[in-house]
Amino acid sequence: MKAVGFVGSPRRGGNTEILVEQVLAGAAASGAKTAIYHLNELHIRGCQGCNYCQEHGYCRQEDDMTILYEQLKAADGIVLGSPIYMGYLTAQTKLFLDRLFALFKVGVGCLLPPGKRGVLVYSQGSGDDAALMENLARWFTTLMGIEIKGVVGGNGMNELGAVRLREDLLAEAFRLGQELV
């Protein structure tokens, strides 16, 4: 079993990263090998809308997304985390999601092997955009065929590391990680 996490936060050591790490810790405690990728530190170009992937089954761009495609194919469990900035996912997360189009063939469906499970993670300063992540969970389930085991996150976490004071969220993240495997 393998679980892979993708952190869409530009802040190292931030609340989203801490929660993603906690989900992966739960997966590791259940026997999974884990890996984590910080999207902000990778070279990922935006989707060019060229539809090359639709004709050839893979994206023509040669950047770090190629590594992530392989990780997504090999993983049994997938964790995606993003803080909520200005009422939406970060630019890094949106870039990653747009490039998942190469794993989806119009009229056929998702090209990932079936049976994958996922967890979505978010953190937010003020506001309450949990519904945004719940909609994303439905998208992953419907279009990508990834069974979302849950969404974990919350608001009131502007300060770096504030989630460490939220034992409820840390425990839920660990529990969801155990469900990935």
Side-chain angles (χ1 to χ4, degrees), residues 14-26 152-153 157 161-178:
N15 298 305
T16 300
E17 180 179 359
I18 292 166
L19 285 173
V20 169
E21 288 173 344
Q22 191 71 3
V23 174
L24 292 175
V152 62
M157 293 186 284
V163 73
R164 292 192 193 283
L165 301 175
R166 298 285 308 269
E167 291 183 25
D168 59 326
L169 295 180
L170 296 171
E172 178 67 1
F174 190 87
R175 184 190 68 75
L176 288 171
Q178 291 176 307

Side-chain angles (χ1 to χ4, degrees), residues 11-176:
R11 292 197 312 177
R12 269 298 196 140
N15 298 305
T16 300
E17 180 179 359
I18 292 166
L19 285 173
V20 169
E21 288 173 344
Q22 191 71 3
V23 174
L24 292 175
S30 293
K33 292 184 182 194
T34 65
I36 191 167
Y37 292 89
H38 297 85
L39 300 177
N40 193 55
E41 297 171 10
L42 300 174
H43 174 68
I44 302 174
R45 295 191 60 215
C47 177
Q48 300 300 298
C50 65
N51 284 322
Y52 184 90
C53 61
Q54 296 300 296
E55 297 171 21
H56 297 89
Y58 63 93
C59 183
R60 76 183 322 163
Q61 297 189 77
E62 295 180 15
D63 60 8
D64 289 339
M65 197 65 194
T66 303
I67 298 164
L68 302 186
Y69 291 140
E70 293 307 313
Q71 290 296 312
L72 286 162
K73 289 175 186 174
D76 301 293
I78 298 167
V79 185
L80 176 62
S82 178
I84 307 298
Y85 288 177
M86 301 300 291
Y88 201 66
L89 306 169
T90 62
Q92 294 85 343
T93 306
K94 180 65 168 95
L95 190 64
F96 173 78
L97 291 175
D98 284 352
R99 290 289 298 280
L100 292 183
F101 186 59
L103 298 176
F104 182 83
K105 180 131 177 99
V106 176
V108 175
C110 184
L111 302 176
L112 287 173
K116 297 187 182 296
R117 296 180 189 102
V119 172
L120 298 179
V121 169
Y122 75 99
S123 62
Q124 186 172 15
S126 62
D128 186 11
D129 288 313
L132 171 71
M133 296 308 280
E134 292 164 8
N135 286 335
L136 185 59
R138 282 191 289 282
W139 179 84
F140 265 107
T141 300
T142 304
L143 289 179
M144 301 303 290
I146 298 170
E147 177 191 357
I148 298 299
K149 300 307 276 181
V151 176
V152 62
N155 60 1
M157 293 186 284
N158 243 359
E159 297 299 319
L160 196 66
V163 73
R164 292 192 193 283
L165 301 175
R166 298 285 308 269
E167 291 183 25
D168 59 326
L169 295 180
L170 296 171
E172 178 67 1
F174 190 87
R175 184 190 68 75
L176 288 171

